[in-house]
């Protein structure tokens, strides 16, 4: 939901002929990463502070250090950070309502304007705004906004980032305007023939006298054609607000669905006579959702959640919001077969939800990881009593028009599950807060303390009880609570390092390399291979599906290394330099691990096949190498140097997996979801051929690679926008002279950029690497690394150069326009 964008002049900001402006306020900030006495005052000298543009995450700049908590990424996210911005206001803006909106500030934000304290907000994941009209000078002289952030150590279970990491806006309105997050659009009827759009708009009046205004609602399709319009007169009391309630019908609506995520725009116009006072735009989609004990229904069709949990950081970019970073992340997830996202464990950015709307992804929007009872000593529990209601309601108000959102989560693995007396009362209160604002979506929470929340009347307070890591209990829950809808809100927790294979295959706790084998069976005590969840989901068709932990690796929580989940004993540095997650089906770079293809084989129908491991096993001639195949074909046949190792039929030929997880007695699991062969090693190649209905339809081959000879570059998009924000992701491969990936290569690659862009970050997906993300070089990990290039705000060519000793260099050209 946005005011229609105006233009920003950094010298002087005025209204010109526009009725309202929503001005991007990201440029030209001053930053200082330490305490600064008096920095809130206009007279404070910030001339030596660093100049930068937002969004900004100071912690991702590093350095990595063992003195920082590996649980939070081993990066300096805590301390004090100051931001200041100088700007001027013209007399045109005097008498208007001027607000500063922060989409996210990490965390414990305090804001001053011209030396006057205007407000604070402790929770770093929720947006907020302040009316700063009375603090500003409108005579063309200098105004200063100052923001102090004081994130604490031991305040997060993962990497939270630091700073003004989401956008800031200056909003200039007439005294009568649409309130913050002031529209609520629902679609109570959606069929192929008719759609009903219901629009509730909150109009604010700060004029000091009662006013009667006209509220007009216009609806536009994706081609910007007007399709419907309604209006009414509305009286708004002085210094109060009133709600306009209008509905309209449209014929043959374009329905928002997973494969056809059609979107509409509503334009709300507030006017008095011929004077337009405000114009406000809301994007929405037309769809229906329903939940029963037998599943979830989207537009009256049953849909199972092929879901992933995702933290908010974007690897080497940290928490700073770049829309392209989130777009790429979600596109990769969708290519895995994902149809649903759980925003673990906090409200996501506005951009993230906009992309989910555009891609047709379902979203569980989650508010909290903790309530009153702590998980870490300085967590959100310190603020929950004062801010919990406000933060939860603001999340729902902000996000309720996104068609992608189909569920609100009030918490994850809350410690109050054990509190027989008060836990259920808190859950009920939070559930009621949500229902005050939105009755169109159910509430949920992720429960891991089976059977505590059910016995303690806590799970019964939400509409749908999520089950974390208890696949063997789905049938028992169905029997004990036959009317209860359920799903796996957090599943598997399998861990792996991309391209790493440890032999023999065994279920170990940790490995001396501080990496985890990519044979997809290792996890912490509560965890299990994906195959186990597939099995129990099949056995329980009433389950609405699963959200795996996790879709992407993330910074912090380096399980199985360093510490124990939910412990409050401080640092997780016992296995330094391990400092980032191994849970993802995709690594920090966005490069798929083998597990990505295991999920793809279950969640997609387009024929696919994947073979592992690599075929470079020097010194192991004749020794047995386990070879796995992930495919949605009926069967597959393996060849080693052209010789058949036999055909395997999916669902018939089983692969034995070694397992050891809570509430499961057997130490092995017979998986029908992966095919396998034990092969004596000989260099050359392995090839797998997939068959469907008896016909060969696709194949994959892995060759034994020779010595590293060259660098190969490829980019996700060859054309990007010259807007100063768009990104190009360049995949860097170390190859032999024949173009085969060298799977064990760790060559140092040096980068340089010329033209209309800059090198923003580098990465390699190695959970133990403490190389700077900000450097102009990176070692390859398992033969690969990543360079991220950011466009300038002028059109032109961008050339990335990559060099490494003894390797043939490479360059790649990108167009920015």
């Amino acid at each position: 939901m946005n005011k229609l964008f105006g233009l920003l002049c950094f010298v002087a900001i005025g209204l010109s002929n526009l009725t309202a402006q929503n001005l991007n306020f990201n440029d030209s900030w001053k930053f200082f990463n330490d305490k600064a006495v008096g920095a809130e005052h206009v007279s404070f000298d910030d001339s030596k502070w660093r100049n930068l543009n937002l969004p900004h995450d100071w912690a991702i700049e590093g350095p990595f250090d063992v003195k920082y908590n590996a649980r939070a990424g081993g990066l300096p996210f805590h301390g004090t950070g100051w931001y200041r911005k100088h700007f001027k206001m013209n007399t045109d803006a005097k008498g208007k309502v001027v607000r500063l909106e922060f989409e996210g500030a990490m965390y414990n934000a305090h804001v001053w304007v011209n030396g006057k304290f205007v407000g604070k907000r402790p929770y770093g994941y929720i947006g907020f705004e302040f009316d700063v009209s009375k603090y500003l000078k409108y005579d063309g002289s200098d105004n200063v906004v100052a923001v102090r952030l004081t994130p604490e150590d031991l305040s997060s279970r993962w990497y939270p980032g630091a700073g003004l990491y989401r956008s800031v806006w200056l909003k200039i309105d007439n005294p009568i305007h649409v309130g913050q997050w002031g529209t609520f659009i629902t679609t109570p009827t959606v069929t192929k023939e008719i759609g009903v759009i219901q629009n509730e708009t909150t109009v604010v009046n700060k004029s000091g006298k009662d006013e009667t205004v006209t509220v007009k609602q216009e609806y536009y399709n994706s081609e910007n054609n007007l399709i419907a319009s309604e209006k009414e007169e509305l009286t708004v009391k002085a210094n109060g607000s009133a709600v306009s309630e209008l509905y309209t019908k449209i014929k043959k609506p374009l329905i928002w669905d997973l494969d056809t995520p059609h979107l509409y725009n509503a334009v709300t116009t507030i006017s008095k006579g011929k004077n337009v006072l405000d114009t406000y735009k809301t994007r929405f989609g037309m769809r229906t959702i329903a939940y029963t004990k037998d599943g979830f229904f989207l537009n009256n069709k049953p849909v199972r959640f092929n879901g992933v949990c995702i933290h908010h950081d974007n690897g080497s970019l940290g928490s700073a919001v770049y829309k392209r970073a989130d777009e790429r992340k979600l596109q990769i997830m969708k290519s895995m077969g994902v149809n649903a996202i759980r925003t673990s464990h906090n409200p996501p950015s506005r951009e993230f939800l906009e992309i989910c709307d555009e891609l047709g992804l379902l979203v569980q929007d989650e508010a909290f990881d903790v309530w009153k009872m702590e998980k870490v000593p300085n967590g959100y529990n310190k603020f929950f009593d004062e801010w919990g209601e406000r933060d939860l309601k603001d999340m729902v108000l902000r996000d309720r028009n996104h068609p992608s959102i189909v569920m609100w989560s009030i918490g994850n693995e809350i410690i109050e599950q054990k509190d027989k007396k008060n836990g259920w009362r808190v859950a009920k209160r939070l559930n009621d807060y949500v229902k005050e604002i939105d009755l169109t979506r159910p509430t949920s929470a992720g429960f891991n303390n089976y059977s505590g929340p059910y016995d303690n009347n806590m799970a019964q307070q939400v509409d749908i009880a999520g089950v974390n890591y208890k696949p063997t209990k789905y049938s028992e829950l169905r029997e004990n609570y036959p009317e209860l809808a359920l799903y796996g809100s957090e599943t598997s927790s399998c861990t792996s390092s991309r391209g790493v294979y440890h032999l023999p295959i065994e279920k170990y706790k940790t490995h001396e390399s501080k990496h985890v084998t990519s044979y997809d069976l290792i996890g912490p005590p509560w965890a299990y291979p994906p195959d186990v969840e597939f099995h129990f989901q099949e056995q329980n068709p009433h389950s609405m599906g699963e959200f795996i932990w996790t879709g992407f690796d993330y910074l912090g929580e380096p399980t199985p290394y360093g510490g124990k989940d939910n412990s409050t004993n401080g640092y997780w540095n016992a296995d330094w330099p391990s400092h980032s997650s191994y849970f993802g089906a995709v690594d920090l770079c966005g490069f798929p691990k083998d597990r990505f293809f295991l999920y793809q084989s279950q969640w997609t129908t387009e024929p696919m096949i994947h073979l592992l491991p690599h075929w470079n096993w020097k010194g192991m001639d004749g020794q047995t190498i386990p070879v796995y195949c992930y495919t949605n074909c009926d069967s597959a046949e393996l060849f080693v140097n052209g010789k058949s190792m036999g055909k395997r039929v999916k669902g018939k030929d089983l692969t034995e997996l070694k397992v050891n997880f809570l509430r499961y007695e057997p130490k092995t699991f017979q998986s029908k979801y992966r095919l396998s062969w034990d092969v004596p090693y000989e260099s050359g190649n392995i090839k797998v051929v997939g068959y469907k209905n008896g016909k060969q339809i696709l194949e994959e081959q892995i060759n034994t690679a020779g010595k590293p000879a060259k660098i190969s570059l490829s980019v996700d998009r060859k054309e990007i926008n010259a807007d100063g924000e768009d990104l190009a992701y360049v995949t860097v491969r170390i190859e032999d002279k024949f173009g085969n990936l060298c799977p064990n290569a760790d060559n140092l690659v040096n980068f340089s950029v010329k033209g209309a862009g800059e090198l923003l970050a580098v990465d390699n997906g190695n959970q133990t690497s403490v190389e700077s993300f900000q450097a102009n070089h990176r070692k390859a990990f398992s033969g690969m690394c990543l360079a991220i290039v950011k466009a300038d705000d002028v059109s032109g060519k961008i050339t990335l150069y990559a060099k490494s000793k003894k390797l043939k260099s490479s360059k790649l050209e990108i167009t920015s326009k």
Side-chain angles (χ1 to χ4, degrees):
M1 299 178 291
N2 300 304
K3 292 289 164 77
L4 296 178
F5 285 177
L7 299 174
L8 177 59
C9 172
F10 289 105
V11 178
I13 299 172
L15 283 185
S16 215
N17 293 319
L18 295 174
T19 58
Q21 290 177 300
N22 197 22
L23 307 172
N24 188 286
F25 220 47
N26 286 345
D27 287 354
S28 303
W29 287 78
K30 298 276 192 175
F31 172 67
F32 184 67
N33 191 191
D34 205 345
K35 295 179 180 178
V37 177
E40 69 273 21
H41 298 303
V42 175
S43 60
F44 182 87
D45 182 8
D46 58 18
S47 61
K48 294 182 180 180
W49 284 17
R50 177 179 166 190
N51 297 309
L52 54 76
N53 297 333
L54 307 180
H56 175 238
D57 175 1
W58 83 62
I60 201 63
E61 298 169 4
F64 289 102
D65 199 302
V66 69
K67 69 183 179 181
Y68 304 123
N69 195 348
R71 187 182 202 185
L75 288 163
F77 76 89
H78 49 84
T80 300
W82 279 93
Y83 294 84
R84 283 168 56 95
K85 182 177 173 71
H86 299 255
F87 61 103
K88 292 176 170 57
M89 301 289 293
N90 282 343
T91 56
D92 294 348
K94 193 170 185 179
K96 307 294 183 181
V97 176
V98 183
R99 293 171 287 167
L100 267 175
E101 179 185 19
F102 297 83
E103 291 195 12
M106 190 64 71
Y107 74 72
N108 200 20
H110 289 64
V111 181
W112 292 263
V113 172
N114 291 332
K116 304 295 183 181
F117 180 67
V118 298
K120 64 180 181 178
R121 197 65 176 257
Y123 196 30
Y125 295 104
I126 194 66
F128 56 94
E129 70 174 29
F130 300 119
D131 185 338
V132 297
S133 309
K134 65 182 180 181
Y135 305 109
L136 295 172
K137 293 176 285 187
Y138 301 93
D139 57 2
S141 58
D142 202 29
N143 290 282
V144 178
V145 56
V147 183
R148 187 189 70 199
L149 304 168
T150 54
E152 295 182 272
D153 195 10
L154 298 176
S155 61
S156 178
R157 297 196 300 126
W158 54 84
Y159 175 76
L164 296 180
Y165 72 107
R166 295 177 183 171
S167 287
V168 178
W169 302 88
L170 188 72
K171 302 159 73 172
I172 305 173
D173 288 290
N174 286 304
I176 299 175
H177 57 271
V178 176
Q180 183 189 26
W181 308 319
T183 58
F184 185 26
I185 297 178
T186 55
T187 54
T189 299
V190 180
T191 69
K192 291 181 180 180
E193 299 301 321
I194 194 74
V196 174
I197 303 170
Q198 183 174 308
N199 192 327
E200 301 172 33
T201 296
T202 300
V203 180
V204 174
N205 179 9
K206 292 192 174 184
S207 70
K209 61 179 181 178
D210 296 356
E211 293 283 4
T212 298
V213 297
T214 300
V215 180
K216 182 169 67 173
Q217 307 288 6
E218 296 176 301
Y219 301 98
Y220 295 84
N221 61 21
S222 59
E223 297 177 347
N224 205 32
N225 296 320
L226 180 65
I227 58 171
S229 178
E230 299 287 343
K231 65 181 179 180
E232 70 171 350
E233 300 295 306
L234 184 71
T235 298
V236 192
K237 295 291 186 181
N239 299 312
S241 64
V243 178
S244 168
E245 297 176 314
L246 290 168
Y247 79 93
T248 192
K249 295 180 181 180
I250 62 171
K251 295 180 179 179
K252 298 187 181 300
L254 297 176
I255 296 174
W256 188 93
D257 212 330
L258 299 179
D259 297 320
T260 56
H262 296 292
L263 293 166
Y264 291 88
N265 283 310
V267 176
T268 304
T269 303
I270 312 297
S271 59
K272 185 173 178 61
K274 294 182 178 181
N275 295 323
V276 174
L277 304 176
D278 197 7
T279 307
Y280 193 93
K281 180 179 176 182
T282 309
R283 194 171 70 166
F284 67 100
M286 302 197 68
R287 53 99 177 113
T288 64
I289 60 172
Y291 294 81
T292 74
K293 64 179 182 178
D294 296 318
F296 167 69
F297 297 83
L298 177 66
N299 301 319
N300 300 313
K301 297 178 295 186
V303 173
R304 260 198 164 185
F305 297 132
N306 297 335
V308 294
C309 301
I310 286 185
H311 271 312
H312 74 304
D313 77 74
N314 276 305
S316 57
L317 301 179
S319 298
V321 173
Y322 292 89
K323 187 169 184 178
R324 174 56 192 161
D326 280 333
E327 180 181 55
R328 174 178 178 261
K329 174 190 285 186
L330 292 169
Q331 287 172 338
I332 291 170
M333 290 291 91
K334 191 150 186 176
S335 71
M336 191 172 86
V338 170
N339 65 13
I341 307 292
R342 179 184 178 212
T343 68
S344 49
H345 301 294
N346 46 262
S349 70
R350 167 184 54 83
E351 291 90 339
F352 187 92
L353 293 175
E354 288 174 352
I355 298 162
C356 289
D357 292 341
E358 293 160 7
L359 294 180
L361 288 166
L362 307 171
V363 176
Q364 180 191 113
D365 203 352
E366 191 155 73
F368 306 122
D369 184 53
V370 64
W371 297 344
K372 182 62 177 175
M373 299 176 70
E374 74 177 43
K375 292 182 180 178
V376 288
N378 296 317
Y380 181 73
N381 53 286
K382 295 172 63 173
F383 308 111
F384 180 76
D385 281 347
E386 180 180 359
W387 290 97
E389 176 181 359
R390 175 74 180 276
D391 288 335
L392 178 59
K393 287 182 175 180
D394 279 1
M395 180 189 81
V396 179
L397 283 168
R398 185 196 71 161
D399 296 345
R400 59 188 177 174
N401 288 315
H402 290 281
S404 56
I405 295 178
V406 295
M407 198 187 313
W408 305 111
S409 172
I410 62 172
N412 168 68
E413 298 187 351
I414 298 300
I415 304 300
E416 279 86 344
Q417 291 173 92
K418 302 176 183 179
D419 185 353
K420 295 181 180 180
K421 182 178 180 181
N422 295 311
W424 74 274
R425 300 176 191 273
V426 182
K428 181 182 185 304
R429 187 165 71 248
L430 295 176
N431 178 79
D432 291 346
Y433 293 155
V434 175
K435 298 300 185 183
E436 285 180 31
I437 300 170
D438 181 20
L439 293 172
T440 70
R441 300 172 178 91
T443 56
S444 186
F447 297 114
N448 66 319
N449 188 29
Y450 185 84
S451 61
Y454 302 90
D455 299 338
N456 298 338
N457 196 38
M458 187 176 180
Q460 291 85 340
Q461 303 310 310
V462 293
D463 297 316
I464 304 168
V467 183
N468 286 13
Y469 307 114
K470 304 297 183 295
T472 62
K473 299 300 180 182
Y474 292 156
S475 58
E476 183 176 307
L477 278 167
R478 179 68 160 187
E479 182 178 347
N480 293 340
Y481 304 92
E483 299 303 315
L484 185 69
L486 65 86
Y487 66 102
S489 45
E490 204 166 303
T491 64
S492 185
S493 262
C494 191
T495 57
S496 61
S497 300
R498 177 184 52 80
V500 173
Y501 306 95
H502 294 148
L503 296 177
I505 293 179
E506 57 183 345
K507 173 72 174 179
Y508 56 73
K509 289 185 178 180
T510 58
H511 192 272
E512 60 184 8
S513 69
K514 297 184 177 63
H515 282 293
V516 182
T517 183
S518 200
Y519 276 110
D520 298 325
L521 77 158
I522 303 295
W526 63 86
Y528 45 88
D531 318 53
V532 174
E533 186 71 28
F534 295 155
H535 169 75
F536 284 102
Q537 289 286 339
E538 282 189 17
Q539 296 296 310
N540 295 273
H542 57 279
S543 170
M544 294 185 297
E546 64 168 316
F547 290 83
I548 72 170
W549 191 264
T550 54
F552 262 68
D553 278 346
Y554 54 94
L555 293 165
E557 265 193 328
T559 306
Y561 299 102
K564 182 181 178 183
D565 194 36
N566 288 357
S567 63
T568 58
N569 60 348
Y571 276 36
W572 278 24
N573 290 27
D575 295 303
W576 185 265
S578 179
H579 61 267
S580 67
S581 159
Y582 300 78
F583 287 118
V586 174
D587 73 6
L588 277 182
C589 294
F591 300 151
K593 303 179 188 178
D594 294 296
R595 197 160 8 110
F596 173 98
F597 300 98
L598 180 56
Y599 283 106
Q600 192 180 64
S601 72
Q602 289 301 114
W603 290 352
T604 67
T605 56
E606 183 176 344
M608 57 75 59
I609 200 162
H610 177 72
L611 189 61
L612 67 135
H614 61 68
W615 208 238
N616 275 60
W617 298 94
K618 186 177 180 180
M620 295 184 64
D621 289 342
Q623 296 186 39
T624 299
I625 306 295
V627 176
Y628 285 0
C629 171
Y630 302 152
T631 184
N632 54 17
C633 293
D634 299 333
S635 61
E637 185 175 9
L638 181 70
F639 297 85
V640 178
N641 293 328
K643 181 180 178 180
S644 176
M645 297 291 107
K647 185 181 287 189
R648 301 286 188 266
V649 178
K650 194 171 181 185
K652 177 182 176 182
D653 294 307
L654 307 181
T655 296
E656 183 174 280
L657 304 179
K658 295 180 180 179
V659 297
N660 183 13
F661 63 96
L662 299 175
R663 294 180 175 83
Y664 190 73
E665 292 300 324
K667 299 304 179 185
T668 61
F669 179 82
Q670 303 300 319
S671 173
K672 67 179 183 179
Y673 306 102
R674 56 178 99 183
L675 304 175
S676 61
W677 298 258
D678 288 330
V679 178
Y681 177 68
E682 58 180 70
S683 64
N685 66 70
I686 55 174
K687 181 175 72 173
V688 67
V689 175
Y691 298 88
K692 201 86 169 178
N693 298 320
K695 294 182 179 180
Q696 178 180 335
I697 59 170
L698 73 170
E699 63 180 49
E700 182 175 75
Q701 180 169 308
I702 301 175
N703 298 318
T704 302
K707 293 181 179 180
K710 61 182 179 179
I711 301 170
S712 174
L713 303 178
S714 60
V715 65
D716 62 334
R717 297 178 304 153
K718 291 188 176 181
E719 288 187 355
I720 60 178
N721 297 317
D723 58 5
E725 299 177 358
D726 206 3
L727 308 177
Y729 282 77
V730 180
T731 298
V732 183
R733 286 168 45 106
I734 308 301
E735 296 178 348
D736 69 8
K737 63 182 180 181
F738 299 109
N740 298 305
L741 175 71
C742 298
N744 300 312
D746 61 356
N747 304 67
L748 179 67
V749 182
N750 294 284
F751 301 101
S752 60
V753 172
K754 292 184 179 180
E758 63 176 301
L759 181 67
L760 183 64
V762 293
D763 199 358
N764 61 9
N766 182 349
Q767 294 95 338
T768 67
S769 173
V770 291
E771 299 169 274
S772 171
F773 291 133
Q774 309 283 309
N776 62 356
H777 55 268
R778 193 70 167 187
K779 280 188 173 182
F781 173 64
S782 296
M784 300 173 67
C785 61
L786 176 75
I788 304 175
V789 175
K790 182 168 76 74
D792 292 338
D793 56 4
V794 293
S795 299
K797 299 292 183 182
I798 308 170
T799 305
L800 173 72
Y801 298 87
K803 298 180 179 180
S804 183
K805 290 182 179 179
K806 298 183 180 180
L807 300 183
K808 183 180 179 181
S809 60
S810 184
K811 68 177 182 178
L812 183 143
E813 192 171 88
I814 303 160
T815 300
S816 173
K817 62 181 184 180

